[in-house]
Amino acid sequence: MSNVQPAAAANAGRVEHRRRKFSMPPLGVQVLIALVVGALLGLVAPAFGDQLKIVGDAFIRLIKMTIVPLIFPLIVVSIARLESAKTVGRMATKAILYFEIVTTAILAVTLFVAFYSGIGKDANLGSVDPAETAGIGRDIDLKELFLHIIPENVFASAGEGQLLAILFFAVFLGMALTKIGDKAKPVVAVFDAVADAMFQMITWIIKLTPLAVVAFVAYNTAHYGWDLVLKLAVFVVVFYAAVLVVLVVLFPVIAIIFRVPYVPMLRAVGDLLFLAFVTRSAEVVLAPLIERLDKFGVDRKVSSFTLPLGYSFNADGATMYEGLAVVFLAHAYGVELTIPRLLTALLVLMLLTKGIAGVPSASIVVLFSAGAVIGLPAEGIAILLAIDFVVDMARTALNVTGNSLAAMVIAKSEGQFVHRAKTSPAAPAGEPAAPELAGEPTAVDIGGRSDA
Protein backbone atom coordinates (compact mmCIF):
# COMPACT_ATOMS: atom_id res chain seq x y z
CA MET A 1 0.00 0.00 0.00
CA SER A 2 2.85 2.35 0.85
CA ASN A 3 4.37 1.83 -2.63
CA VAL A 4 1.07 2.57 -4.38
CA GLN A 5 0.73 6.07 -3.00
CA PRO A 6 4.14 7.34 -4.21
CA ALA A 7 3.49 5.79 -7.61
CA ALA A 8 0.09 7.48 -7.85
CA ALA A 9 1.61 10.79 -6.77
CA ALA A 10 4.38 10.47 -9.38
CA ASN A 11 1.83 9.66 -12.09
CA ALA A 12 -0.30 12.66 -11.10
CA GLY A 13 2.81 14.84 -11.24
CA ARG A 14 3.60 13.66 -14.78
CA VAL A 15 0.02 14.37 -15.91
CA GLU A 16 0.15 17.84 -14.38
CA HIS A 17 3.55 18.49 -16.03
CA ARG A 18 2.18 17.49 -19.45
CA ARG A 19 -0.89 19.68 -18.89
CA ARG A 20 1.29 22.67 -18.11
CA LYS A 21 3.55 21.91 -21.05
CA PHE A 22 0.71 21.89 -23.59
CA SER A 23 -1.48 24.58 -21.99
CA MET A 24 -2.64 27.52 -24.08
CA PRO A 25 -0.79 30.83 -23.66
CA PRO A 26 -2.50 33.59 -21.63
CA LEU A 27 -5.42 35.30 -23.30
CA GLY A 28 -3.46 38.54 -23.71
CA VAL A 29 -0.82 36.71 -25.75
CA GLN A 30 -3.52 34.99 -27.82
CA VAL A 31 -5.07 38.39 -28.59
CA LEU A 32 -1.71 39.85 -29.67
CA ILE A 33 -1.18 36.91 -32.03
CA ALA A 34 -4.73 37.34 -33.34
CA LEU A 35 -4.03 41.05 -33.93
CA VAL A 36 -1.08 40.24 -36.19
CA VAL A 37 -2.91 37.41 -38.00
CA GLY A 38 -5.93 39.65 -38.62
CA ALA A 39 -3.83 42.49 -40.03
CA LEU A 40 -2.00 40.09 -42.36
CA LEU A 41 -5.26 38.55 -43.56
CA GLY A 42 -6.72 41.98 -44.26
CA LEU A 43 -3.67 43.00 -46.30
CA VAL A 44 -2.94 39.73 -48.10
CA ALA A 45 -6.49 38.49 -48.67
CA PRO A 46 -8.77 41.55 -48.45
CA ALA A 47 -11.75 39.80 -50.04
CA PHE A 48 -11.63 37.06 -47.41
CA GLY A 49 -10.94 39.58 -44.63
CA ASP A 50 -14.00 41.59 -45.65
CA GLN A 51 -16.16 38.49 -45.30
CA LEU A 52 -14.95 37.85 -41.74
CA LYS A 53 -17.17 40.66 -40.43
CA ILE A 54 -19.87 38.09 -39.72
CA VAL A 55 -17.58 36.36 -37.20
CA GLY A 56 -16.95 39.57 -35.30
CA ASP A 57 -20.64 40.49 -35.40
CA ALA A 58 -21.55 37.06 -34.03
CA PHE A 59 -19.13 37.54 -31.12
CA ILE A 60 -20.63 40.93 -30.23
CA ARG A 61 -24.12 39.42 -30.40
CA LEU A 62 -23.09 36.67 -28.00
CA ILE A 63 -21.88 39.31 -25.55
CA LYS A 64 -24.98 41.49 -25.97
CA MET A 65 -27.15 38.41 -25.45
CA THR A 66 -25.92 38.22 -21.84
CA ILE A 67 -25.82 41.94 -20.94
CA VAL A 68 -29.46 42.48 -19.93
CA PRO A 69 -29.81 39.11 -18.11
CA LEU A 70 -26.61 39.99 -16.21
CA ILE A 71 -27.08 43.69 -15.46
CA PHE A 72 -30.72 43.46 -14.36
CA PRO A 73 -30.26 40.84 -11.60
CA LEU A 74 -26.93 42.34 -10.50
CA ILE A 75 -28.52 45.75 -9.92
CA VAL A 76 -31.59 44.30 -8.22
CA VAL A 77 -29.44 42.22 -5.86
CA SER A 78 -27.06 45.13 -5.20
CA ILE A 79 -29.92 47.50 -4.30
CA ALA A 80 -31.79 44.86 -2.28
CA ARG A 81 -28.67 44.33 -0.13
CA LEU A 82 -28.07 48.01 0.54
CA GLU A 83 -29.16 49.41 3.87
CA SER A 84 -31.92 51.70 2.61
CA ALA A 85 -33.37 53.71 -0.26
CA LYS A 86 -31.45 56.66 1.16
CA THR A 87 -28.19 54.81 0.45
CA VAL A 88 -29.26 54.23 -3.17
CA GLY A 89 -30.11 57.90 -3.65
CA ARG A 90 -26.87 59.06 -2.09
CA MET A 91 -24.76 56.73 -4.23
CA ALA A 92 -26.61 57.69 -7.44
CA THR A 93 -26.23 61.40 -6.67
CA LYS A 94 -22.51 61.03 -6.02
CA ALA A 95 -22.01 59.01 -9.21
CA ILE A 96 -23.92 61.38 -11.51
CA LEU A 97 -22.27 64.45 -9.98
CA TYR A 98 -18.84 62.87 -10.44
CA PHE A 99 -19.65 61.89 -14.05
CA GLU A 100 -20.86 65.39 -14.88
CA ILE A 101 -17.83 67.16 -13.42
CA VAL A 102 -15.24 64.85 -15.03
CA THR A 103 -16.79 64.68 -18.52
CA THR A 104 -17.46 68.44 -18.58
CA ALA A 105 -13.86 69.14 -17.59
CA ILE A 106 -12.58 66.80 -20.32
CA LEU A 107 -14.89 68.40 -22.88
CA ALA A 108 -13.97 71.98 -21.95
CA VAL A 109 -10.22 71.29 -22.08
CA THR A 110 -10.56 69.41 -25.40
CA LEU A 111 -12.59 72.18 -27.08
CA PHE A 112 -10.37 75.05 -26.04
CA VAL A 113 -7.04 73.28 -26.66
CA ALA A 114 -8.28 72.20 -30.11
CA PHE A 115 -9.49 75.74 -30.80
CA TYR A 116 -6.24 77.46 -29.87
CA SER A 117 -4.03 74.83 -31.55
CA GLY A 118 -5.91 75.33 -34.84
CA ILE A 119 -6.24 71.60 -35.54
CA GLY A 120 -7.78 70.96 -38.97
CA LYS A 121 -6.90 74.31 -40.58
CA ASP A 122 -4.48 72.65 -43.00
CA ALA A 123 -6.73 69.67 -43.74
CA ASN A 124 -7.91 69.21 -47.30
CA LEU A 125 -10.86 66.90 -46.88
CA GLY A 126 -12.62 67.49 -50.16
CA SER A 127 -16.20 66.25 -50.14
CA VAL A 128 -18.19 63.04 -50.06
CA ASP A 129 -21.58 61.95 -51.31
CA PRO A 130 -24.24 63.18 -48.84
CA ALA A 131 -26.01 59.84 -49.41
CA GLU A 132 -23.36 58.30 -47.15
CA THR A 133 -25.02 60.03 -44.20
CA ALA A 134 -28.52 58.87 -45.09
CA GLY A 135 -30.37 56.97 -42.43
CA ILE A 136 -28.43 58.48 -39.53
CA GLY A 137 -30.57 60.59 -37.22
CA ARG A 138 -29.59 64.23 -36.92
CA ASP A 139 -31.72 65.42 -34.04
CA ILE A 140 -32.10 64.39 -30.46
CA ASP A 141 -35.37 65.20 -28.70
CA LEU A 142 -34.25 65.79 -25.10
CA LYS A 143 -37.80 65.48 -23.76
CA GLU A 144 -38.25 62.15 -25.50
CA LEU A 145 -34.83 61.01 -24.32
CA PHE A 146 -35.83 61.77 -20.73
CA LEU A 147 -39.13 59.89 -21.06
CA HIS A 148 -37.33 56.86 -22.51
CA ILE A 149 -35.56 56.45 -19.16
CA ILE A 150 -38.94 55.42 -17.71
CA PRO A 151 -40.00 52.24 -19.54
CA GLU A 152 -43.60 51.85 -20.69
CA ASN A 153 -42.94 48.13 -21.01
CA VAL A 154 -39.91 46.81 -19.19
CA PHE A 155 -39.83 43.65 -21.33
CA ALA A 156 -39.80 45.71 -24.54
CA SER A 157 -37.00 47.89 -23.11
CA ALA A 158 -35.05 44.74 -22.22
CA GLY A 159 -35.55 43.40 -25.75
CA GLU A 160 -34.22 46.64 -27.23
CA GLY A 161 -31.28 46.77 -24.81
CA GLN A 162 -32.24 50.17 -23.35
CA LEU A 163 -29.76 50.19 -20.49
CA LEU A 164 -31.05 53.31 -18.72
CA ALA A 165 -34.65 52.04 -18.71
CA ILE A 166 -33.48 48.68 -17.35
CA LEU A 167 -31.38 50.43 -14.70
CA PHE A 168 -34.37 52.59 -13.69
CA PHE A 169 -36.71 49.61 -13.24
CA ALA A 170 -34.08 47.46 -11.53
CA VAL A 171 -33.39 50.18 -8.95
CA PHE A 172 -37.12 50.50 -8.19
CA LEU A 173 -37.52 46.74 -7.89
CA GLY A 174 -34.48 46.47 -5.63
CA MET A 175 -35.80 49.25 -3.39
CA ALA A 176 -39.18 47.50 -3.21
CA LEU A 177 -37.49 44.26 -2.16
CA THR A 178 -35.77 46.06 0.73
CA LYS A 179 -39.20 46.96 2.09
CA ILE A 180 -40.77 43.48 2.22
CA GLY A 181 -38.27 41.89 4.57
CA ASP A 182 -37.80 38.12 4.62
CA LYS A 183 -40.25 37.62 1.75
CA ALA A 184 -37.60 39.09 -0.55
CA LYS A 185 -34.95 36.47 0.26
CA PRO A 186 -36.11 33.80 -2.26
CA VAL A 187 -36.41 36.42 -5.00
CA VAL A 188 -32.94 37.81 -4.28
CA ALA A 189 -31.53 34.27 -4.25
CA VAL A 190 -33.03 33.58 -7.70
CA PHE A 191 -31.61 36.80 -9.15
CA ASP A 192 -28.24 36.01 -7.58
CA ALA A 193 -28.24 32.56 -9.23
CA VAL A 194 -29.18 34.09 -12.61
CA ALA A 195 -26.25 36.52 -12.33
CA ASP A 196 -23.90 33.62 -11.50
CA ALA A 197 -25.15 31.73 -14.58
CA MET A 198 -24.54 34.80 -16.77
CA PHE A 199 -20.99 35.09 -15.43
CA GLN A 200 -20.40 31.47 -16.40
CA MET A 201 -21.81 32.02 -19.90
CA ILE A 202 -19.56 35.04 -20.39
CA THR A 203 -16.56 33.00 -19.25
CA TRP A 204 -17.22 30.62 -22.15
CA ILE A 205 -17.84 33.45 -24.66
CA ILE A 206 -14.66 35.33 -23.71
CA LYS A 207 -12.61 32.29 -24.72
CA LEU A 208 -13.65 33.05 -28.33
CA THR A 209 -12.00 36.47 -28.14
CA PRO A 210 -8.88 35.65 -30.26
CA LEU A 211 -11.10 34.42 -33.11
CA ALA A 212 -13.18 37.58 -32.88
CA VAL A 213 -10.06 39.77 -32.89
CA VAL A 214 -8.80 38.11 -36.09
CA ALA A 215 -12.18 38.86 -37.69
CA PHE A 216 -12.37 42.48 -36.47
CA VAL A 217 -8.84 43.42 -37.52
CA ALA A 218 -9.01 41.60 -40.87
CA TYR A 219 -12.31 43.29 -41.75
CA ASN A 220 -11.20 46.80 -40.72
CA THR A 221 -7.89 46.48 -42.59
CA ALA A 222 -9.54 45.11 -45.73
CA HIS A 223 -12.66 47.28 -45.74
CA TYR A 224 -11.33 50.71 -44.80
CA GLY A 225 -7.72 50.55 -45.90
CA TRP A 226 -5.20 53.07 -44.60
CA ASP A 227 -5.24 55.83 -47.25
CA LEU A 228 -7.81 57.99 -45.51
CA VAL A 229 -6.30 57.21 -42.13
CA LEU A 230 -3.00 58.65 -43.35
CA LYS A 231 -4.82 61.66 -44.80
CA LEU A 232 -6.40 62.37 -41.43
CA ALA A 233 -3.31 61.30 -39.49
CA VAL A 234 -3.10 64.61 -37.63
CA PHE A 235 -6.60 64.14 -36.20
CA VAL A 236 -5.84 60.54 -35.19
CA VAL A 237 -2.48 61.45 -33.60
CA VAL A 238 -3.92 64.42 -31.69
CA PHE A 239 -6.81 62.32 -30.42
CA TYR A 240 -4.50 59.55 -29.21
CA ALA A 241 -2.23 62.15 -27.57
CA ALA A 242 -5.26 63.65 -25.79
CA VAL A 243 -6.30 60.19 -24.57
CA LEU A 244 -2.77 59.66 -23.24
CA VAL A 245 -2.87 62.98 -21.38
CA VAL A 246 -6.13 62.01 -19.68
CA LEU A 247 -4.73 58.58 -18.74
CA VAL A 248 -1.41 59.81 -17.33
CA VAL A 249 -2.32 63.28 -16.01
CA LEU A 250 -6.04 63.85 -15.35
CA PHE A 251 -6.97 60.40 -14.01
CA PRO A 252 -3.93 60.22 -11.69
CA VAL A 253 -4.84 63.67 -10.30
CA ILE A 254 -8.40 62.45 -9.62
CA ALA A 255 -6.96 59.34 -7.96
CA ILE A 256 -4.70 61.46 -5.73
CA ILE A 257 -7.60 63.72 -4.73
CA PHE A 258 -9.77 60.76 -3.72
CA ARG A 259 -6.81 58.69 -2.45
CA VAL A 260 -7.41 55.61 -4.57
CA PRO A 261 -4.66 53.42 -6.14
CA TYR A 262 -4.87 54.26 -9.85
CA VAL A 263 -1.74 52.51 -11.15
CA PRO A 264 -2.44 49.23 -9.30
CA MET A 265 -5.97 49.38 -10.73
CA LEU A 266 -4.54 49.67 -14.25
CA ARG A 267 -2.39 46.62 -13.59
CA ALA A 268 -5.39 44.68 -12.34
CA VAL A 269 -7.66 45.49 -15.31
CA GLY A 270 -5.03 46.16 -17.99
CA ASP A 271 -5.84 43.09 -20.07
CA LEU A 272 -9.53 44.04 -20.05
CA LEU A 273 -8.66 47.53 -21.31
CA PHE A 274 -6.65 45.96 -24.12
CA LEU A 275 -9.58 43.67 -24.92
CA ALA A 276 -11.95 46.65 -25.08
CA PHE A 277 -9.39 48.49 -27.26
CA VAL A 278 -9.12 45.68 -29.82
CA THR A 279 -12.80 44.74 -29.98
CA ARG A 280 -14.02 48.37 -29.71
CA SER A 281 -16.73 47.20 -27.33
CA ALA A 282 -17.11 48.21 -23.69
CA GLU A 283 -19.88 45.64 -23.33
CA VAL A 284 -17.41 42.80 -23.92
CA VAL A 285 -15.59 43.60 -20.67
CA LEU A 286 -18.50 44.72 -18.47
CA ALA A 287 -19.01 41.43 -16.61
CA PRO A 288 -15.27 40.62 -16.21
CA LEU A 289 -14.67 44.21 -15.08
CA ILE A 290 -17.24 43.95 -12.28
CA GLU A 291 -15.62 40.73 -11.11
CA ARG A 292 -12.06 42.07 -11.41
CA LEU A 293 -12.88 45.24 -9.44
CA ASP A 294 -14.57 43.07 -6.82
CA LYS A 295 -11.30 41.13 -6.38
CA PHE A 296 -9.36 44.42 -6.34
CA GLY A 297 -11.40 45.67 -3.39
CA VAL A 298 -14.44 47.51 -4.82
CA ASP A 299 -17.59 46.18 -3.18
CA ARG A 300 -19.77 44.32 -5.69
CA LYS A 301 -22.83 46.34 -4.63
CA VAL A 302 -21.11 49.55 -5.73
CA SER A 303 -19.53 48.36 -8.99
CA SER A 304 -22.72 46.58 -10.12
CA PHE A 305 -24.58 49.87 -9.77
CA THR A 306 -21.93 52.40 -10.82
CA LEU A 307 -20.52 50.73 -13.96
CA PRO A 308 -23.85 50.33 -15.85
CA LEU A 309 -24.73 53.92 -14.89
CA GLY A 310 -21.32 55.07 -16.08
CA TYR A 311 -21.77 53.38 -19.46
CA SER A 312 -24.55 55.91 -20.12
CA PHE A 313 -23.36 59.00 -18.25
CA ASN A 314 -19.56 58.75 -18.15
CA ALA A 315 -18.33 58.29 -21.72
CA ASP A 316 -15.01 60.13 -21.29
CA GLY A 317 -13.55 58.92 -24.59
CA ALA A 318 -16.68 59.68 -26.61
CA THR A 319 -16.94 63.15 -25.05
CA MET A 320 -13.34 63.96 -25.96
CA TYR A 321 -13.75 62.62 -29.51
CA GLU A 322 -16.87 64.67 -30.21
CA GLY A 323 -15.33 67.88 -28.89
CA LEU A 324 -12.18 67.39 -30.97
CA ALA A 325 -14.19 66.42 -34.07
CA VAL A 326 -16.39 69.54 -33.90
CA VAL A 327 -13.39 71.89 -33.79
CA PHE A 328 -11.43 69.90 -36.40
CA LEU A 329 -14.31 69.99 -38.91
CA ALA A 330 -15.04 73.66 -38.24
CA HIS A 331 -11.42 74.55 -39.03
CA ALA A 332 -11.23 72.18 -42.02
CA TYR A 333 -14.33 73.71 -43.66
CA GLY A 334 -13.59 77.30 -42.71
CA VAL A 335 -16.49 77.68 -40.28
CA GLU A 336 -15.66 80.62 -38.01
CA LEU A 337 -15.51 79.50 -34.38
CA THR A 338 -16.16 82.55 -32.24
CA ILE A 339 -16.05 82.21 -28.45
CA PRO A 340 -19.89 82.32 -28.20
CA ARG A 341 -20.10 79.56 -30.83
CA LEU A 342 -17.53 77.51 -28.98
CA LEU A 343 -19.43 77.92 -25.72
CA THR A 344 -22.63 76.92 -27.53
CA ALA A 345 -20.94 73.78 -28.83
CA LEU A 346 -19.71 73.07 -25.28
CA LEU A 347 -23.24 73.37 -23.88
CA VAL A 348 -24.81 71.21 -26.61
CA LEU A 349 -22.19 68.48 -26.28
CA MET A 350 -22.37 68.60 -22.48
CA LEU A 351 -26.11 67.89 -22.66
CA LEU A 352 -26.15 65.41 -25.53
CA THR A 353 -23.29 63.20 -24.36
CA LYS A 354 -25.23 62.18 -21.24
CA GLY A 355 -27.55 59.20 -21.34
CA ILE A 356 -27.47 58.42 -25.08
CA ALA A 357 -25.85 54.98 -24.87
CA GLY A 358 -29.04 53.38 -26.17
CA VAL A 359 -29.34 55.70 -29.18
CA PRO A 360 -28.23 54.02 -32.45
CA SER A 361 -24.96 55.52 -33.82
CA ALA A 362 -24.86 57.68 -30.69
CA SER A 363 -21.56 59.48 -31.39
CA ILE A 364 -22.63 60.32 -34.94
CA VAL A 365 -26.04 61.53 -33.76
CA VAL A 366 -24.32 63.87 -31.29
CA LEU A 367 -21.94 65.18 -33.97
CA PHE A 368 -24.79 65.89 -36.36
CA SER A 369 -26.75 67.70 -33.65
CA ALA A 370 -23.80 69.77 -32.44
CA GLY A 371 -22.64 70.40 -36.00
CA ALA A 372 -26.05 71.72 -37.01
CA VAL A 373 -25.93 74.28 -34.18
CA ILE A 374 -22.64 75.83 -35.34
CA GLY A 375 -23.14 75.24 -39.10
CA LEU A 376 -20.90 72.27 -39.88
CA PRO A 377 -21.43 70.47 -43.22
CA ALA A 378 -22.85 66.96 -42.82
CA GLU A 379 -20.45 65.49 -45.37
CA GLY A 380 -17.50 66.20 -43.07
CA ILE A 381 -18.97 63.93 -40.45
CA ALA A 382 -19.27 61.20 -43.10
CA ILE A 383 -15.54 61.57 -43.78
CA LEU A 384 -14.76 61.00 -40.09
CA LEU A 385 -16.83 57.83 -40.22
CA ALA A 386 -14.11 56.27 -42.37
CA ILE A 387 -11.52 56.57 -39.58
CA ASP A 388 -13.96 55.89 -36.79
CA PHE A 389 -12.64 52.35 -36.33
CA VAL A 390 -9.18 53.74 -35.50
CA VAL A 391 -10.25 56.36 -32.95
CA ASP A 392 -12.98 54.13 -31.55
CA MET A 393 -10.38 51.74 -30.14
CA ALA A 394 -8.83 54.41 -27.91
CA ARG A 395 -12.24 55.98 -27.25
CA THR A 396 -13.61 52.70 -25.90
CA ALA A 397 -10.55 51.92 -23.77
CA LEU A 398 -10.71 55.41 -22.21
CA ASN A 399 -14.42 54.97 -21.46
CA VAL A 400 -13.70 51.70 -19.63
CA THR A 401 -10.77 53.20 -17.70
CA GLY A 402 -12.83 56.20 -16.65
CA ASN A 403 -15.67 54.02 -15.41
CA SER A 404 -13.29 51.76 -13.49
CA LEU A 405 -11.82 54.79 -11.74
CA ALA A 406 -15.31 56.14 -11.06
CA ALA A 407 -16.40 52.87 -9.43
CA MET A 408 -13.33 53.00 -7.19
CA VAL A 409 -13.95 56.65 -6.24
CA ILE A 410 -17.64 56.09 -5.40
CA ALA A 411 -16.80 52.93 -3.43
CA LYS A 412 -14.14 54.84 -1.46
CA SER A 413 -16.61 57.64 -0.66
CA GLU A 414 -19.09 55.03 0.60
CA GLY A 415 -16.50 53.22 2.71
CA GLN A 416 -16.88 50.19 0.43
CA PHE A 417 -13.34 50.01 -0.96
CA VAL A 418 -10.50 48.08 0.63
CA HIS A 419 -7.50 47.71 -1.67
CA ARG A 420 -6.44 44.10 -1.90
CA ALA A 421 -2.75 44.16 -2.78
CA LYS A 422 -1.22 41.52 -5.00
CA THR A 423 0.67 40.17 -2.02
CA SER A 424 -1.62 40.42 0.99
CA PRO A 425 -0.15 40.87 4.45
CA ALA A 426 -1.26 38.57 7.20
CA ALA A 427 -4.81 39.36 8.23
CA PRO A 428 -5.57 40.38 11.80
CA ALA A 429 -6.93 37.69 14.06
CA GLY A 430 -10.53 36.88 13.34
CA GLU A 431 -10.45 38.41 9.85
CA PRO A 432 -10.02 36.51 6.58
CA ALA A 433 -6.99 37.31 4.50
CA ALA A 434 -7.63 39.28 1.33
CA PRO A 435 -7.44 37.03 -1.72
CA GLU A 436 -4.26 37.32 -3.71
CA LEU A 437 -4.28 38.35 -7.33
CA ALA A 438 -1.84 35.66 -8.30
CA GLY A 439 -0.09 35.97 -11.63
CA GLU A 440 -1.21 38.10 -14.52
CA PRO A 441 -4.99 38.64 -14.56
CA THR A 442 -6.79 37.42 -17.64
CA ALA A 443 -10.09 38.38 -19.23
CA VAL A 444 -11.59 35.01 -18.37
CA ASP A 445 -10.67 35.31 -14.71
CA ILE A 446 -14.22 36.10 -13.66
CA GLY A 447 -15.16 33.16 -11.51
CA GLY A 448 -15.64 32.86 -7.77
CA ARG A 449 -18.04 35.62 -6.80
CA SER A 450 -17.69 36.97 -3.28
CA ASP A 451 -20.46 39.38 -2.33
CA ALA A 452 -19.45 41.54 0.59
Side-chain angles (χ1 to χ4, degrees):
M1 181 67 70
S2 59
N3 292 332
V4 173
Q5 289 181 347
N11 185 54
R14 285 193 294 270
V15 170
E16 182 64 25
H17 175 73
R18 285 197 298 269
R19 186 180 299 164
R20 285 197 300 266
K21 185 177 180 180
F22 296 106
S23 62
M24 294 289 288
L27 189 65
V29 176
Q30 294 180 44
V31 170
L32 283 173
I33 295 171
L35 193 65
V36 175
V37 172
L40 290 175
L41 274 177
L43 291 172
V44 176
F48 177 69
D50 203 54
Q51 296 301 315
L52 286 179
K53 184 176 186 293
I54 188 173
V55 177
D57 288 344
F59 178 77
I60 294 298
R61 286 192 174 219
L62 284 171
I63 292 293
K64 288 185 174 181
M65 173 182 74
T66 63
I67 292 300
V68 172
L70 171 69
I71 292 302
F72 182 77
L74 270 181
I75 294 172
V76 172
V77 171
S78 297
I79 300 301
R81 288 177 175 168
L82 290 174
E83 297 173 359
S84 65
K86 184 178 179 181
T87 304
V88 178
R90 184 180 67 243
M91 195 160 64
T93 301
K94 286 180 181 179
I96 292 175
L97 183 62
Y98 173 89
F99 297 155
E100 186 63 44
I101 292 172
V102 172
T103 53
T104 300
I106 289 174
L107 180 59
V109 171
T110 301
L111 280 174
F112 285 99
V113 169
F115 172 72
Y116 284 111
S117 68
I119 182 174
K121 286 186 176 179
D122 297 326
N124 180 22
L125 299 184
S127 62
V128 297
D129 188 349
E132 291 188 34
T133 63
I136 301 176
R138 303 192 182 193
D139 297 306
I140 294 178
D141 187 333
L142 291 178
K143 293 180 181 179
E144 197 66 25
L145 183 62
F146 173 75
L147 288 177
H148 279 167
I149 296 175
I150 306 172
E152 289 182 296
N153 184 328
V154 68
F155 298 104
S157 297
E160 295 170 6
Q162 296 177 9
L163 199 58
L164 276 181
I166 294 164
L167 180 64
F168 183 88
F169 181 75
V171 168
F172 261 74
L173 179 57
M175 290 170 63
L177 290 172
T178 63
K179 295 296 184 182
I180 63 176
D182 290 341
K183 292 180 181 179
K185 289 183 179 179
V187 179
V188 172
V190 169
F191 280 132
D192 205 21
V194 171
D196 278 337
M198 290 303 107
F199 274 111
Q200 181 57 58
M201 288 178 64
I202 292 171
T203 301
W204 294 334
I205 295 169
I206 290 295
K207 291 179 180 179
L208 301 174
T209 299
L211 183 62
V213 169
V214 170
F216 281 126
V217 176
Y219 171 76
N220 286 330
T221 305
H223 186 76
Y224 294 107
W226 294 97
D227 293 341
L228 192 55
V229 174
L230 294 175
K231 189 175 183 181
L232 297 175
V234 172
F235 179 84
V236 174
V237 169
V238 170
F239 178 73
Y240 270 74
V243 168
L244 191 61
V245 169
V246 172
L247 287 174
V248 302
V249 178
L250 179 60
F251 283 173
V253 169
I254 293 173
I256 291 171
I257 292 172
F258 290 97
R259 297 181 179 180
V260 293
Y262 175 68
V263 174
M265 182 206 76
L266 288 182
R267 292 196 194 103
V269 303
D271 58 325
L272 300 183
L273 299 181
F274 181 66
L275 185 59
F277 178 86
V278 174
T279 61
R280 299 163 49 206
S281 174
E283 292 173 328
V284 168
V285 299
L286 177 57
L289 188 60
I290 291 172
E291 188 70 21
R292 192 67 63 76
L293 289 176
D294 179 38
K295 292 181 178 181
F296 188 67
V298 177
D299 192 288
R300 173 75 55 88
K301 295 189 293 290
V302 178
S303 59
S304 297
F305 178 78
T306 305
L307 287 177
L309 192 65
Y311 271 41
S312 293
F313 287 97
N314 192 41
D316 298 328
T319 300
M320 177 184 292
Y321 165 74
E322 284 144 9
L324 190 65
V326 163
V327 177
F328 177 83
L329 291 174
H331 285 158
Y333 285 97
V335 176
E336 185 181 3
L337 271 183
T338 60
I339 296 297
R341 254 183 188 173
L342 200 61
L343 291 175
T344 300
L346 173 64
L347 179 61
V348 170
L349 289 171
M350 188 176 68
L351 291 173
L352 296 185
T353 52
K354 305 296 184 293
I356 62 164
V359 178
S361 304
S363 295
I364 307 305
V365 172
V366 170
L367 281 180
F368 270 122
S369 300
V373 172
I374 61 175
L376 292 181
E379 57 266 25
I381 296 170
I383 287 177
L384 288 184
L385 286 177
I387 60 163
D388 192 64
F389 79 99
V390 178
V391 296
D392 192 34
M393 293 189 290
R395 190 167 65 205
T396 303
L398 185 61
N399 287 344
V400 174
T401 307
N403 282 312
S404 301
L405 177 60
M408 209 162 44
V409 168
I410 302 304
K412 180 69 180 289
S413 73
E414 289 287 312
Q416 299 294 329
F417 173 68
V418 179
H419 178 212
R420 295 172 183 143
K422 190 170 184 178
T423 305
S424 301
E431 293 183 16
E436 295 183 1
L437 300 177
E440 289 297 321
T442 66
V444 294
D445 182 21
I446 61 175
R449 300 184 59 203
S450 56
D451 293 304

